[in-house]
Amino acid sequence: MLRVSIAVAEAIEHNQPVVALESTLISHGLPFPQNLEVATALEAEVRNNGAIPATIGVVGGVPTVGLEAHELERFARGGARKLSRRDLAAAIAQGADGATTVAATMSLAAAAGITVFATGGIGGVHRGADRTWDVSGDLTELARTQVLVVCAGAKAILDLPATLEYLETLGVPVFGLGTTEFPAFYSRSSGLPLPALTDPAEVARIWLAQLRGSAYAAPGGMLLCVPPPAETALDRDYVEAAIVRALARAEVAAIRGPTVTPFLLAAMAEETSGESIATNIALLRNNARTAAVVAVALQHQQ
Ligand code: PSU
Ligand code: MN
């Protein structure tokens, strides 16, 4: 069973632009109460740019597309599991609250008929993955599920060149909007080149071609990378030094599996005296705005 809120169901039925939003960044990516403010702000950004927001999560075992305000608060206060695709079945069967990652959000968005989704940074290939095999399920989901993901690249705590290589192997198209480089989440540049687009209408045209071509040539999703806003973006060398310290802490604490990303995000906040959180929030808002603009352009072309 999939519960779709009335507002979202009506928008889908009337072919209005809808933007999916994830809930892991609320429950496991940012501290309370900023996370609740952000959850509400992202929905407002989507609305103010002409689309309907659909924040996705599993509420008491029910996969839900379009969380209500009191549910956003419940997720922000903590206690929800972190659900990637493989965790959905257990959360449903056990009646649990679960915050969905990019992978799980994509699969529920697609099930509801939503094809545009905004997040912060996707999961990817972790540094040291040649030892740990830690590669986010977000990448495999992008290969099989038809959702356009708008992000600020992959989180900089990851191995960015390896993440791009992996996306190429999986056949996932990756573009920069207003940039010729893969953004590094907290910083605007990574030195890794991307094909650049400048116009959201062009993004929509390419995404539509991928959607329509899925039957014969191009199944799966697409990644649109938007650099973090210049005002809050952090210097690359400064971020890199903080990442090295955060990774060392994760190593000492022997963090493994799904807790790695939340641990590193919290450690980054400490290592940058909270600056990483301000950047994270600014880029999330920017991505929500961009996704709404693309969703509107997509609707005009359909
Ligand atoms: N982007 C953010 N904050 C987050 C995440 C992304 O700005 O907390 C989450 C996303 O939900 C992403 C997840 O799917 O981290 C990746 O986790 P993992 O590496 O364990 O797959
Ligand atoms: Mn992982």
Side-chain angles (χ1 to χ4, degrees):
M1 194 180 80
L2 188 68
R3 177 163 70 93
V4 182
S5 71
I6 294 172
V8 173
E10 279 183 354
I12 294 169
E13 192 187 315
H14 297 111
N15 208 23
Q16 284 166 345
V18 179
V19 172
L21 298 165
E22 58 143 314
S23 45
T24 288
L25 70 92
I26 304 171
S27 294
H28 301 280
L30 291 165
F32 185 81
Q34 282 122 307
N35 57 356
L36 181 56
E37 289 163 28
V38 170
T40 312
L42 296 185
E43 295 202 343
E45 294 283 7
V46 170
R47 269 192 209 98
N48 293 339
N49 288 279
I52 302 293
T55 307
I56 293 178
V58 175
V59 183
V62 182
T64 302
V65 176
L67 296 177
E68 307 296 335
H70 69 275
E71 293 166 339
L72 289 179
E73 176 160 356
R74 188 159 133 190
F75 275 55
R77 285 184 180 278
R81 299 177 186 180
K82 178 182 167 190
L83 306 184
S84 192
R85 163 190 268 263
R86 70 162 182 183
D87 310 306
L88 285 170
I92 292 165
Q94 295 165 345
D97 277 353
T100 47
T101 65
V102 169
T105 304
M106 284 178 77
S107 63
L108 295 179
I114 301 170
T115 64
V116 179
F117 165 29
T119 185
I122 59 162
V125 179
H126 281 259
R127 299 181 188 196
D130 54 338
R131 264 184 306 115
T132 63
W133 288 74
D134 191 349
V135 178
S136 175
D138 292 354
L139 300 185
T140 34
E141 198 66 36
L142 275 159
R144 65 180 155 203
T145 301
Q146 292 230 274
V147 173
L148 170 70
V149 179
V150 180
C151 66
K155 269 164 295 214
I157 52 172
L158 301 167
D159 183 334
L160 299 185
T163 299
L164 270 186
E165 290 293 346
Y166 205 97
L167 285 164
E168 183 186 351
T169 302
L170 292 170
V172 178
V174 183
F175 297 98
L177 182 64
T179 182
T180 56
E181 281 182 54
F182 194 46
F185 193 65
Y186 300 120
S187 342
R188 290 173 64 84
S189 93
S190 67
L192 301 164
L194 276 190
L197 304 174
T198 51
D199 178 8
E202 192 184 4
V203 175
R205 275 197 299 280
I206 295 172
W207 178 228
L208 203 56
Q210 167 105 348
L211 280 172
R212 291 188 175 150
S214 63
Y216 52 86
M222 184 167 118
L223 202 60
L224 183 68
C225 302
V226 188
E231 315 83 72
T232 55
L234 302 177
D235 175 73
R236 229 168 105 187
D237 295 334
Y238 169 74
V239 169
E240 191 51 40
I243 290 171
V244 169
R245 293 194 299 273
L247 287 168
R249 285 169 58 180
E251 189 73 33
V252 169
I255 308 293
R256 293 278 180 277
T259 51
V260 170
T261 297
F263 180 94
L264 289 174
L265 289 174
M268 283 299 288
E270 287 174 23
E271 296 295 341
T272 62
S273 317
E275 280 186 86
S276 69
I277 291 185
T279 311
N280 201 342
I281 293 172
L283 68 85
L284 280 164
R285 295 181 74 134
N286 191 46
N287 294 347
R289 274 195 291 276
T290 305
V293 172
V294 171
V296 170
L298 189 68
Q299 187 231 3
H300 287 153
Q301 290 174 26
Q302 269 166 337

